[in-house]
Amino acid sequence: MAGDSDALGRFQGDMETTLRLSQKYWGSGTGYADDFQRLTEMLAGFQARIATN
């Protein structure tokens, strides 16, 4: 299980970087909001998978 938690931590860091870059590219428009929503859904999916294992 430690590997899953480590991977989730890395993913969260990557998510923050992606959102920072997205905001630089899109500003605060719908492109950034779409990226934020997509990444939030991905994170929730990963958390759910870890919880069931």
Side-chain angles (χ1 to χ4, degrees):
M1 278 304 197
D4 290 341
S5 296
D6 292 342
L8 183 58
R10 285 192 306 276
F11 177 75
Q12 287 173 318
D14 292 344
M15 186 172 100
E16 290 172 6
T17 299
T18 300
L19 288 175
R20 217 174 9 256
L21 293 171
S22 175
Q23 190 171 36
K24 281 185 173 186
Y25 184 78
W26 296 112
S28 60
T30 56
Y32 173 77
D34 290 344
D35 288 346
F36 181 86
Q37 182 65 33
R38 191 174 9 262
L39 290 171
T40 300
E41 290 170 1
M42 287 174 61
L43 180 59
F46 288 141
Q47 288 173 326
R49 288 180 111 184
I50 289 171
T52 61
N53 287 331

